Amino acid sequence: MSPSRSAGAARRPGKRRREELFYDGGLTVLTDTRGRPALPRPAVIWTDVPGRATRPRLGGSWVNEDEIRKAHDSVNYLLEQLPPEATVGVVTPFAPQAEALRRRLRPYDEERLRIGTVHTFQGGERDVMVFPLVAGDGMHPGAVEWVGGQLNLWNVAVTRARSHLIVVGDKERWRKRGGVAAALLESAERDGVPSRDSSEAVLLKRLYQVLSREAGATVTLGETVHGHPADALVAGVGDTALRAVLLDRGVEEGTDAARHIRLMLHRRNLLGVGTAKSKPLDGRPGGCARQTSGGGEPGPAP
Protein backbone atom coordinates (compact mmCIF):
# COMPACT_ATOMS: atom_id res chain seq x y z
CA MET A 1 0.00 0.00 0.00
CA SER A 2 2.26 2.98 -0.41
CA PRO A 3 3.58 4.10 2.20
CA SER A 4 2.68 2.51 -0.51
CA ARG A 5 0.36 -0.18 -0.46
CA SER A 6 0.56 -3.47 0.62
CA ALA A 7 3.27 -5.56 0.19
CA GLY A 8 5.98 -7.72 -1.06
CA ALA A 9 6.08 -11.35 -0.44
CA ALA A 10 9.13 -12.16 -2.34
CA ARG A 11 11.39 -9.37 -3.38
CA ARG A 12 9.31 -7.90 -6.17
CA PRO A 13 10.67 -4.69 -7.76
CA GLY A 14 7.79 -2.72 -6.28
CA LYS A 15 8.74 -3.54 -2.70
CA ARG A 16 11.79 -1.29 -2.61
CA ARG A 17 9.81 1.54 -4.17
CA ARG A 18 7.04 1.22 -1.58
CA GLU A 19 9.49 1.26 1.33
CA GLU A 20 11.21 4.34 -0.09
CA LEU A 21 7.86 6.10 -0.16
CA PHE A 22 7.10 4.98 3.38
CA TYR A 23 10.24 6.55 4.77
CA ASP A 24 10.02 9.61 2.50
CA GLY A 25 7.67 11.28 4.96
CA GLY A 26 4.53 10.89 2.92
CA LEU A 27 1.72 8.37 2.87
CA THR A 28 0.22 7.62 -0.53
CA VAL A 29 -1.97 4.56 -0.98
CA LEU A 30 -1.12 2.87 -4.28
CA THR A 31 -2.55 -0.62 -3.92
CA ASP A 32 -3.13 -2.48 -7.16
CA THR A 33 -5.92 -4.95 -6.35
CA ARG A 34 -6.47 -6.14 -9.92
CA GLY A 35 -6.02 -9.90 -10.05
CA ARG A 36 -5.82 -10.10 -6.25
CA PRO A 37 -8.44 -11.37 -3.81
CA ALA A 38 -10.03 -8.17 -2.53
CA LEU A 39 -13.19 -6.67 -1.10
CA PRO A 40 -15.10 -3.70 -2.57
CA ARG A 41 -13.54 -1.52 0.09
CA PRO A 42 -10.70 1.03 0.26
CA ALA A 43 -7.11 -0.15 0.50
CA VAL A 44 -6.78 1.29 4.02
CA ILE A 45 -9.60 0.90 6.55
CA TRP A 46 -9.44 2.21 10.11
CA THR A 47 -11.88 0.63 12.56
CA ASP A 48 -12.38 2.89 15.57
CA VAL A 49 -12.16 1.00 18.87
CA PRO A 50 -11.66 3.27 21.92
CA GLY A 51 -10.88 0.34 24.20
CA ARG A 52 -8.93 -0.23 27.39
CA ALA A 53 -5.45 -1.76 27.64
CA THR A 54 -4.42 -3.93 30.58
CA ARG A 55 -1.53 -6.10 31.66
CA PRO A 56 -0.91 -8.61 34.48
CA ARG A 57 -0.19 -7.12 37.91
CA LEU A 58 2.99 -9.14 38.21
CA GLY A 59 4.35 -7.83 34.95
CA GLY A 60 4.00 -8.69 31.30
CA SER A 61 2.94 -7.07 28.06
CA TRP A 62 -0.26 -5.29 27.18
CA VAL A 63 -3.55 -6.62 25.82
CA ASN A 64 -6.72 -4.84 24.72
CA GLU A 65 -9.81 -7.06 24.95
CA ASP A 66 -11.97 -4.60 23.01
CA GLU A 67 -9.57 -4.70 20.09
CA ILE A 68 -9.26 -8.48 20.35
CA ARG A 69 -13.03 -8.85 19.97
CA LYS A 70 -13.10 -6.52 16.98
CA ALA A 71 -10.10 -8.14 15.30
CA HIS A 72 -11.70 -11.55 15.88
CA ASP A 73 -14.91 -10.40 14.17
CA SER A 74 -12.96 -8.84 11.30
CA VAL A 75 -10.95 -11.97 10.65
CA ASN A 76 -14.05 -14.18 10.65
CA TYR A 77 -15.73 -11.79 8.19
CA LEU A 78 -12.69 -11.79 5.91
CA LEU A 79 -12.41 -15.58 5.89
CA GLU A 80 -16.09 -15.84 5.00
CA GLN A 81 -16.14 -13.16 2.31
CA LEU A 82 -12.80 -13.68 0.56
CA PRO A 83 -12.17 -16.61 -1.80
CA PRO A 84 -10.56 -19.75 -0.33
CA GLU A 85 -7.14 -18.92 -1.74
CA ALA A 86 -7.03 -15.51 -0.04
CA THR A 87 -4.68 -15.08 2.92
CA VAL A 88 -5.10 -12.98 6.05
CA GLY A 89 -2.55 -11.79 8.57
CA VAL A 90 -2.92 -10.22 12.01
CA VAL A 91 0.10 -8.29 13.26
CA THR A 92 0.13 -6.66 16.68
CA PRO A 93 2.79 -4.95 18.82
CA PHE A 94 2.59 -7.31 21.80
CA ALA A 95 2.89 -11.10 21.94
CA PRO A 96 0.09 -11.61 24.55
CA GLN A 97 -2.35 -9.84 22.22
CA ALA A 98 -1.35 -12.18 19.39
CA GLU A 99 -1.68 -15.25 21.61
CA ALA A 100 -5.13 -14.18 22.82
CA LEU A 101 -6.28 -13.89 19.20
CA ARG A 102 -4.85 -17.30 18.36
CA ARG A 103 -6.85 -18.84 21.21
CA ARG A 104 -10.05 -17.12 20.06
CA LEU A 105 -9.67 -18.21 16.44
CA ARG A 106 -8.57 -21.83 16.93
CA PRO A 107 -8.79 -24.09 15.10
CA TYR A 108 -7.77 -22.29 11.92
CA ASP A 109 -5.83 -22.97 8.76
CA GLU A 110 -2.35 -21.65 9.50
CA GLU A 111 -1.58 -21.37 5.81
CA ARG A 112 -4.55 -19.08 5.27
CA LEU A 113 -4.39 -17.16 8.56
CA ARG A 114 -1.20 -16.04 10.26
CA ILE A 115 -1.16 -14.22 13.63
CA GLY A 116 1.85 -12.76 15.38
CA THR A 117 4.16 -9.85 16.08
CA VAL A 118 6.35 -8.07 13.56
CA HIS A 119 8.86 -10.94 13.39
CA THR A 120 6.15 -13.30 12.14
CA PHE A 121 5.76 -11.34 8.90
CA GLN A 122 9.33 -10.55 7.95
CA GLY A 123 9.45 -11.32 4.24
CA GLY A 124 5.88 -12.64 3.95
CA GLU A 125 2.79 -11.09 2.35
CA ARG A 126 -0.92 -11.53 3.01
CA ASP A 127 -3.86 -10.38 0.91
CA VAL A 128 -5.30 -8.57 3.94
CA MET A 129 -3.50 -7.42 7.07
CA VAL A 130 -5.36 -6.65 10.29
CA PHE A 131 -3.42 -4.38 12.65
CA PRO A 132 -4.73 -4.05 16.26
CA LEU A 133 -2.70 -1.27 17.91
CA VAL A 134 -3.52 -2.31 21.54
CA ALA A 135 -3.05 1.22 22.97
CA GLY A 136 -6.03 2.41 25.00
CA ASP A 137 -7.12 3.82 28.32
CA GLY A 138 -4.93 2.49 31.10
CA MET A 139 -1.77 2.13 29.02
CA HIS A 140 1.26 4.05 30.23
CA PRO A 141 2.17 7.00 27.96
CA GLY A 142 5.61 5.52 27.45
CA ALA A 143 4.11 2.31 26.06
CA VAL A 144 1.93 4.27 23.64
CA GLU A 145 4.99 6.20 22.47
CA TRP A 146 6.85 2.92 22.02
CA VAL A 147 4.11 1.55 19.74
CA GLY A 148 3.92 4.76 17.73
CA GLY A 149 7.69 4.90 17.32
CA GLN A 150 8.18 1.35 16.05
CA LEU A 151 8.56 2.28 12.37
CA ASN A 152 9.47 -1.29 11.43
CA LEU A 153 6.18 -2.48 12.90
CA TRP A 154 4.17 0.09 10.91
CA ASN A 155 6.21 -0.63 7.80
CA VAL A 156 5.53 -4.36 8.04
CA ALA A 157 1.80 -3.82 8.65
CA VAL A 158 1.51 -1.63 5.57
CA THR A 159 3.89 -3.30 3.15
CA ARG A 160 2.79 -6.88 3.85
CA ALA A 161 -0.83 -6.20 2.83
CA ARG A 162 -1.42 -6.98 -0.83
CA SER A 163 -4.97 -5.61 -1.05
CA HIS A 164 -6.20 -4.18 2.25
CA LEU A 165 -4.87 -2.96 5.57
CA ILE A 166 -7.42 -2.88 8.41
CA VAL A 167 -6.21 -0.88 11.39
CA VAL A 168 -8.02 -1.48 14.70
CA GLY A 169 -7.50 1.29 17.22
CA ASP A 170 -8.65 4.44 18.97
CA LYS A 171 -8.88 7.10 16.25
CA GLU A 172 -8.70 10.15 18.50
CA ARG A 173 -5.80 8.81 20.54
CA TRP A 174 -3.69 8.25 17.45
CA ARG A 175 -4.86 11.39 15.70
CA LYS A 176 -3.64 13.48 18.66
CA ARG A 177 -0.32 11.67 18.81
CA GLY A 178 0.51 12.40 15.17
CA GLY A 179 3.25 10.64 13.26
CA VAL A 180 2.78 7.61 11.03
CA ALA A 181 -0.47 6.60 12.75
CA ALA A 182 -2.09 9.98 12.13
CA ALA A 183 -0.97 9.93 8.49
CA LEU A 184 -2.43 6.46 8.05
CA LEU A 185 -5.69 7.55 9.70
CA GLU A 186 -5.90 10.59 7.44
CA SER A 187 -5.37 8.39 4.39
CA ALA A 188 -8.12 6.01 5.54
CA GLU A 189 -10.56 8.86 6.15
CA ARG A 190 -9.81 10.39 2.76
CA ASP A 191 -10.10 6.99 1.07
CA GLY A 192 -6.65 7.57 -0.39
CA VAL A 193 -7.60 10.84 -2.08
CA PRO A 194 -4.92 13.52 -1.78
CA SER A 195 -5.76 16.42 0.52
CA ARG A 196 -7.28 19.44 -1.19
CA ASP A 197 -7.71 23.13 -0.53
CA SER A 198 -10.69 25.48 -0.88
CA SER A 199 -10.15 25.91 -4.64
CA GLU A 200 -11.14 22.27 -5.16
CA ALA A 201 -14.77 23.01 -6.03
CA VAL A 202 -13.68 25.48 -8.71
CA LEU A 203 -11.31 22.97 -10.30
CA LEU A 204 -13.88 20.17 -10.32
CA LYS A 205 -16.52 22.45 -11.81
CA ARG A 206 -14.10 23.45 -14.57
CA LEU A 207 -13.20 19.77 -15.11
CA TYR A 208 -16.89 18.84 -15.43
CA GLN A 209 -17.50 21.63 -17.94
CA VAL A 210 -14.54 20.66 -20.12
CA LEU A 211 -15.37 16.95 -20.18
CA SER A 212 -19.07 17.57 -20.85
CA ARG A 213 -18.32 19.37 -24.12
CA GLU A 214 -17.84 16.12 -26.00
CA ALA A 215 -20.99 15.01 -27.81
CA GLY A 216 -22.89 12.33 -25.90
CA ALA A 217 -20.59 12.48 -22.89
CA THR A 218 -21.95 11.52 -19.48
CA VAL A 219 -19.65 12.75 -16.73
CA THR A 220 -19.72 11.69 -13.10
CA LEU A 221 -17.38 13.10 -10.46
CA GLY A 222 -15.76 11.38 -7.51
CA GLU A 223 -16.03 7.74 -8.62
CA THR A 224 -13.89 4.74 -7.70
CA VAL A 225 -12.15 2.40 -10.16
CA HIS A 226 -10.30 -0.77 -9.07
CA GLY A 227 -10.62 0.49 -5.49
CA HIS A 228 -8.94 3.83 -6.26
CA PRO A 229 -10.45 7.31 -6.53
CA ALA A 230 -10.88 9.00 -9.91
CA ASP A 231 -11.81 12.66 -10.20
CA ALA A 232 -14.25 11.84 -13.00
CA LEU A 233 -15.55 9.06 -15.24
CA VAL A 234 -16.62 9.76 -18.80
CA ALA A 235 -19.02 7.48 -20.70
CA GLY A 236 -20.97 7.66 -23.95
CA VAL A 237 -18.26 9.16 -26.17
CA GLY A 238 -18.23 7.24 -29.45
CA ASP A 239 -17.50 3.55 -29.02
CA THR A 240 -14.66 4.05 -26.55
CA ALA A 241 -14.58 2.39 -23.17
CA LEU A 242 -15.35 4.19 -19.96
CA ARG A 243 -12.61 6.74 -19.31
CA ALA A 244 -11.19 7.52 -15.90
CA VAL A 245 -9.90 11.06 -15.42
CA LEU A 246 -7.35 12.28 -12.90
CA LEU A 247 -6.90 15.96 -12.16
CA ASP A 248 -3.24 16.84 -11.77
CA ARG A 249 -3.28 19.70 -9.27
CA GLY A 250 0.38 20.45 -9.74
CA VAL A 251 3.37 20.13 -7.46
CA GLU A 252 2.91 21.51 -3.96
CA GLU A 253 5.48 23.98 -2.75
CA GLY A 254 8.44 22.33 -1.13
CA THR A 255 7.73 18.86 -2.55
CA ASP A 256 9.74 16.76 -4.98
CA ALA A 257 8.48 17.32 -8.54
CA ALA A 258 9.86 14.00 -9.77
CA ARG A 259 8.11 12.10 -6.98
CA HIS A 260 4.87 13.92 -7.80
CA ILE A 261 5.09 12.80 -11.43
CA ARG A 262 5.87 9.20 -10.42
CA LEU A 263 2.85 9.09 -8.11
CA MET A 264 0.55 10.59 -10.75
CA LEU A 265 1.69 8.06 -13.34
CA HIS A 266 1.27 5.19 -10.91
CA ARG A 267 -2.23 6.39 -9.94
CA ARG A 268 -3.08 6.60 -13.63
CA ASN A 269 -1.90 3.03 -14.23
CA LEU A 270 -3.97 1.74 -11.30
CA LEU A 271 -7.14 3.17 -12.83
CA GLY A 272 -6.86 1.14 -16.01
CA VAL A 273 -4.89 0.28 -19.07
CA GLY A 274 -4.45 2.34 -22.17
CA THR A 275 -2.79 5.57 -23.16
CA ALA A 276 -3.19 8.63 -21.00
CA LYS A 277 -3.97 11.98 -22.60
CA SER A 278 -3.31 15.26 -20.84
CA LYS A 279 -4.77 18.66 -21.47
CA PRO A 280 -5.07 21.89 -19.48
CA LEU A 281 -8.50 22.92 -18.24
CA ASP A 282 -9.55 25.70 -20.64
CA GLY A 283 -5.89 26.57 -21.06
CA ARG A 284 -5.84 28.19 -17.62
CA PRO A 285 -3.37 27.43 -14.84
CA GLY A 286 -4.41 25.42 -11.83
CA GLY A 287 -5.05 21.95 -13.13
CA CYS A 288 -4.48 19.42 -15.87
CA ALA A 289 -6.82 16.56 -16.71
CA ARG A 290 -5.23 13.18 -17.42
CA GLN A 291 -7.59 10.75 -19.11
CA THR A 292 -7.05 7.01 -19.14
CA SER A 293 -8.99 4.80 -21.49
CA GLY A 294 -10.23 1.41 -20.41
CA GLY A 295 -10.97 2.46 -16.86
CA GLY A 296 -13.58 -0.24 -16.34
CA GLU A 297 -16.60 -0.12 -14.14
CA PRO A 298 -16.55 2.03 -11.01
CA GLY A 299 -16.26 0.17 -7.78
CA PRO A 300 -18.99 0.28 -5.14
CA ALA A 301 -18.69 2.85 -2.42
CA PRO A 302 -17.23 1.56 0.87
Side-chain angles (χ1 to χ4, degrees):
M1 246 163 272
S2 156
S4 196
R5 133 204 155 197
S6 38
R11 289 199 169 266
R12 297 202 308 269
K15 182 183 178 186
R16 180 182 175 188
R17 168 181 167 80
R18 285 190 294 270
E19 292 180 349
E20 287 173 350
L21 291 173
F22 183 88
Y23 291 110
D24 196 28
L27 181 65
T28 306
V29 178
L30 300 177
T31 310
D32 190 352
T33 60
R34 291 171 293 179
R36 302 264 189 205
L39 298 170
R41 301 290 302 277
V44 179
I45 302 165
W46 189 297
T47 302
D48 186 26
V49 179
R52 182 170 185 81
T54 61
R55 65 176 180 174
R57 290 183 179 180
L58 299 179
S61 294
W62 298 89
V63 295
N64 186 319
E65 285 292 334
D66 300 288
E67 291 187 12
I68 288 172
R69 284 191 291 270
K70 185 59 185 178
H72 173 268
D73 293 343
S74 296
V75 169
N76 281 334
Y77 174 82
L78 292 168
L79 295 177
E80 291 173 0
Q81 296 297 317
L82 290 169
E85 68 273 15
T87 57
V88 177
V90 182
V91 62
T92 187
F94 301 106
Q97 184 91 346
E99 181 56 35
L101 272 166
R102 291 192 196 100
R103 290 195 301 269
R104 294 279 183 95
L105 289 161
R106 284 177 184 148
Y108 59 86
D109 181 351
E110 294 188 14
E111 290 297 319
R112 194 176 186 207
L113 174 61
R114 186 176 300 168
I115 304 169
T117 59
V118 62
H119 305 291
T120 305
F121 296 93
Q122 296 289 356
E125 286 183 317
R126 305 267 99 183
D127 291 306
V128 183
M129 289 292 291
V130 181
F131 187 21
L133 300 177
V134 183
D137 290 343
M139 179 177 277
H140 298 164
V144 178
E145 288 301 306
W146 181 86
V147 174
Q150 294 298 302
L151 290 184
N152 188 46
L153 169 67
W154 293 86
N155 184 33
V156 165
V158 172
T159 61
R160 298 308 183 267
R162 292 191 185 104
S163 297
H164 304 284
L165 170 65
I166 302 174
V167 183
V168 180
D170 186 336
K171 281 186 176 182
E172 292 311 310
R173 181 180 303 277
W174 291 105
R175 194 194 312 277
K176 291 175 182 177
R177 185 194 178 277
V180 177
L184 196 59
L185 174 56
E186 181 186 5
S187 178
E189 292 183 333
R190 288 190 279 102
D191 192 7
V193 181
S195 56
R196 300 166 178 176
D197 57 28
S198 59
S199 64
E200 180 69 9
V202 175
L203 282 176
L204 289 178
K205 181 179 180 180
R206 195 187 308 170
L207 176 66
Y208 183 87
Q209 291 171 341
V210 170
L211 296 176
S212 298
R213 290 174 183 169
E214 298 182 82
T218 299
V219 181
T220 56
L221 300 178
E223 292 286 359
T224 301
V225 179
H226 303 310
H228 290 273
D231 290 296
L233 289 179
V234 183
V237 180
D239 57 356
T240 60
L242 193 67
R243 287 183 298 170
V245 180
L246 285 176
L247 185 59
D248 186 347
R249 295 160 176 84
V251 183
E252 296 182 4
E253 184 177 356
T255 60
D256 181 2
R259 182 174 184 269
H260 169 80
I261 293 172
R262 290 196 301 270
L263 292 177
M264 283 299 301
L265 291 174
H266 194 64
R267 288 185 64 205
R268 182 205 73 188
N269 293 338
L270 291 175
L271 292 178
V273 297
T275 303
K277 300 177 181 179
S278 302
K279 61 181 179 180
L281 302 182
D282 291 346
R284 293 176 244 168
C288 177
R290 302 183 184 275
Q291 304 185 41
T292 303
S293 62
E297 293 298 321

